[in-house]
Amino acid sequence: MAAAAATGRLVLFVALVAGSAWAAQKEEHVATAPAIHALRPLLGSGSDLGVPCDSWRLAVEANNKRNWKTLPASCEDYLGHYMLGEHYRRDSAVVVDEAITYAEGLELAGNGTEVWVFDIDETSLSNLPYYAKHGFGTKLYNATSFNEYVLEGSALVLPETQRLFNKLISLGIKPVFLTGRTEDKRAITVANLCHQGYSGWMELLLKPIGFKSTAIVYKSGERQKLQDGGYIIVGNIGDQWSDILGVPEGGRTFKLPDPLYYIG
Amino acid sequence: MAAAAATGRLVLFVALVAGSAWAAQKEEHVATAPAIHALRPLLGSGSDLGVPCDSWRLAVEANNKRNWKTLPASCEDYLGHYMLGEHYRRDSAVVVDEAITYAEGLELAGNGTEVWVFDIDETSLSNLPYYAKHGFGTKLYNATSFNEYVLEGSALVLPETQRLFNKLISLGIKPVFLTGRTEDKRAITVANLCHQGYSGWMELLLKPIGFKSTAIVYKSGERQKLQDGGYIIVGNIGDQWSDILGVPEGGRTFKLPDPLYYIG
């Protein structure tokens, strides 16, 4: 029930934002015809003008673009369409379908030792309401305002990931959340996950306050501890390459789309 | 000159195929209106009908889809547009731009020890003329007919990769070809590379006939030998994840697009 309600909220949110901003944008383009032409390269039909935003996004997803701080300002409209329309959802669905096919094909030991690692932000929960108000990744990251948003506990479920999460539980594979969110955000994170319909995870691993190193070092270290504790990490899913690179990666890794920000 | 001529040939080839097959396709759609609607999901504007070919391609590029034998038959048209139109070229250009930015930022030792590993098929040379005649990856791989094609030595240059190749030489970084092509194809491969404008590589490493193991094992083993020989692999570019995974990967890896086939 909670999951269904959450999905409803996301759909509503998408409809609202799409309905207002894009209608306004369309009107503006009718009035200023040349702007339509200028938008073409952003939508994937050309490459002579501006940044080819679809190629830029592909380069991010295939880990060719690294250590970027913001996406090109000229791609804000393109990214808005991508994230709020059905394209992002569809790209996520194909990844999750693949993950479920893989999980269903596993031969489990039957003693409950298999776990699957889930990242949280832009993997299990979506911060799209925040990014929609802050230029879809075209503005520099602002830790203060983003933390305020996280503490609201209002991030939305990513329905495709929740579908995987629930399927794994039904198969007997235990979900473990492993997030770059710090330990002081445990209560609000649990509340946010519960409100968005997640339940039945085995552990929620948050980063110790003051931890000094990269996400790869932190996350692979935590996965090592899980392994040392006798668990078998059969799968690992995240939206950043730093979620899934670094030994031990897990039996198989899945990269969800995220063109909004980069964590190294 | 050779490079320019080769580029010209590729453009001509694209224009010919695009002009004939697509014009025919367009005419057919005018006559049978419902087919236009059925094609929509393949072109990225829907997800309810058929396979979402753009999401499928993204899942391949981000290494989410693995061990596939053919791409969905319903995606042949989509892939034809992608490969023969400018989209594939543009996606490749963004990867190469990133590689050049990285290479230009390197501090070289000045003693000529830095090398860059290039895969050949779908990285340095394009077999698109073959795949255009064989369903753009929707048909099962046929070793006999593909080998016949390779032995013609008529594969085309991939101009973006050649741009990187030449830039690296100008910077003092030595290109090394490392290919899954077998040793018996050395002469035709050298001839094909030369005819398509490549010159100045340090080594051409072909697979020993009868080598039994995966591409990852073979290629990482060869990279280890380069490193043991005192070379520093500063970069590594290929169209397959098996070109760039496996220790030592090289200082940085670049994944060129290739939705046509998978090598594990």
Side-chain angles (χ1 to χ4, degrees):
Chain A
M1 285 298 287
T7 309
R9 280 200 294 280
L10 181 58
V11 170
L12 179 66
F13 168 72
V14 167
L16 284 173
V17 177
S20 57
W22 291 350
Q25 200 180 69
K26 200 179 163 192
E27 250 173 58
E28 192 190 336
H29 287 166
V30 171
T32 57
I36 297 174
H37 181 71
L39 265 178
R40 274 194 203 149
L42 309 183
L43 298 170
S45 63
S47 68
D48 297 331
L49 301 170
V51 177
C53 303
D54 54 350
S55 298
W56 198 93
R57 182 171 62 79
L58 179 70
V60 167
E61 296 305 335
N63 205 19
N64 288 314
K65 282 238 170 244
R66 301 182 191 178
N67 302 310
W68 49 279
K69 300 260 185 246
T70 59
L71 59 94
S74 60
C75 293
E76 182 176 345
D77 279 355
Y78 169 86
L79 262 289
H81 281 262
Y82 174 75
M83 294 300 295
L84 298 174
E86 66 170 17
H87 199 164
Y88 168 57
R89 175 83 187 263
R90 189 169 77 238
D91 284 350
S92 304
V94 169
V95 180
V96 164
D97 288 347
E98 195 71 16
I100 288 177
T101 301
Y102 161 74
E104 287 178 333
L106 288 171
E107 286 193 26
L108 305 181
N111 57 1
T113 53
E114 290 92 355
V115 300
W116 191 294
V117 174
F118 285 77
D119 172 55
I120 292 184
D121 293 296
E122 270 55 69
T123 297
S124 304
L125 295 176
S126 171
N127 302 307
L128 198 45
Y130 176 86
Y131 285 100
K133 283 187 196 162
H134 292 80
F136 292 107
T138 59
K139 307 277 188 296
L140 268 180
Y141 175 68
N142 181 322
T144 309
S145 71
F146 185 70
N147 276 333
E148 282 169 11
Y149 166 81
V150 167
L151 291 173
E152 288 173 12
S154 63
L156 300 166
V157 69
L158 279 164
E160 298 301 337
T161 306
Q162 195 163 68
R163 178 161 65 92
L164 172 63
F165 182 97
N166 291 334
K167 168 59 80 174
L168 294 174
I169 289 177
S170 78
L171 292 171
I173 299 168
K174 297 177 170 134
V176 171
F177 286 119
L178 173 55
T179 174
R181 289 185 177 202
T182 44
E183 191 62 57
D184 54 323
K185 299 202 178 71
R186 180 175 290 275
I188 194 69
T189 299
V190 168
N192 200 158
L193 288 166
C194 284
H195 287 151
Q196 294 297 316
Y198 286 101
S199 65
W201 62 84
M202 184 184 93
E203 276 198 70
L204 165 58
L205 303 168
L206 296 115
K207 198 161 68 172
I209 296 169
F211 181 89
K212 298 266 183 254
S213 190
T214 63
I216 290 185
V217 169
Y218 164 62
K219 293 200 164 183
S220 54
E222 292 300 311
R223 289 194 300 271
Q224 186 64 56
K225 285 183 205 164
L226 280 170
Q227 225 175 253
D228 295 345
Y231 292 105
I232 299 161
I233 304 169
V234 292
N236 177 9
I237 190 163
D239 63 295
Q240 299 287 325
W241 281 95
S242 56
D243 293 329
I244 56 179
L245 292 177
V247 178
E249 295 96 347
R252 189 157 156 194
T253 61
F254 295 90
K255 166 73 176 76
L256 285 167
D258 183 3
L260 299 177
Y261 55 85
Y262 180 90
I263 299 175
Chain B
M1 283 302 284
T7 310
R9 278 199 294 281
L10 180 58
V11 170
L12 180 64
F13 168 71
V14 168
L16 283 173
V17 178
S20 58
W22 293 351
Q25 200 179 68
K26 201 178 161 191
E27 251 173 58
E28 190 189 338
H29 289 168
V30 171
T32 57
I36 296 173
H37 181 71
L39 264 179
R40 275 194 202 149
L42 310 184
L43 298 169
S45 62
S47 68
D48 297 331
L49 301 171
V51 178
C53 303
D54 55 350
S55 298
W56 198 93
R57 181 172 63 78
L58 179 70
V60 166
E61 295 306 334
N63 204 20
N64 288 314
K65 281 237 170 243
R66 302 183 190 177
N67 302 310
W68 49 278
K69 300 260 183 245
T70 58
L71 59 94
S74 59
C75 292
E76 181 175 346
D77 278 357
Y78 169 85
L79 262 289
H81 282 262
Y82 175 75
M83 294 300 295
L84 297 174
E86 66 170 18
H87 200 165
Y88 169 58
R89 176 83 188 261
R90 187 168 79 237
D91 285 349
S92 305
V94 169
V95 179
V96 163
D97 287 348
E98 194 71 16
I100 288 177
T101 302
Y102 161 75
E104 287 178 335
L106 288 170
E107 286 192 28
L108 304 180
N111 56 1
T113 53
E114 289 93 355
V115 300
W116 190 295
V117 175
F118 285 77
D119 171 56
I120 292 184
D121 293 296
E122 270 56 67
T123 297
S124 304
L125 295 175
S126 171
N127 301 308
L128 198 45
Y130 177 86
Y131 286 99
K133 283 187 197 161
H134 292 80
F136 291 108
T138 60
K139 308 277 188 295
L140 270 179
Y141 175 69
N142 182 321
T144 310
S145 71
F146 185 70
N147 277 334
E148 281 170 11
Y149 166 81
V150 167
L151 291 173
E152 287 173 13
S154 62
L156 301 166
V157 69
L158 279 165
E160 297 301 337
T161 306
Q162 193 162 72
R163 178 162 65 91
L164 172 63
F165 183 96
N166 291 335
K167 167 59 79 172
L168 293 174
I169 289 177
S170 77
L171 291 172
I173 299 168
K174 297 178 170 132
V176 172
F177 286 118
L178 173 54
T179 175
R181 290 185 177 202
T182 43
E183 190 62 56
D184 54 323
K185 301 202 177 70
R186 180 175 290 276
I188 194 69
T189 301
V190 168
N192 201 159
L193 288 166
C194 284
H195 288 153
Q196 294 296 316
Y198 286 101
S199 63
W201 63 84
M202 183 184 95
E203 275 198 70
L204 166 59
L205 302 169
L206 297 114
K207 197 160 69 174
I209 296 169
F211 181 90
K212 298 270 181 248
S213 193
T214 63
I216 290 186
V217 169
Y218 164 61
K219 293 199 165 183
S220 54
E222 292 300 310
R223 289 194 300 271
Q224 186 64 54
K225 286 183 205 164
L226 280 170
Q227 224 174 252
D228 294 345
Y231 293 103
I232 299 161
I233 304 168
V234 293
N236 177 9
I237 190 163
D239 63 295
Q240 299 288 324
W241 281 95
S242 56
D243 292 329
I244 57 180
L245 292 177
V247 178
E249 295 95 347
R252 190 157 156 193
T253 61
F254 296 90
K255 166 72 178 77
L256 284 169
D258 183 3
L260 299 178
Y261 56 85
Y262 180 90
I263 299 175

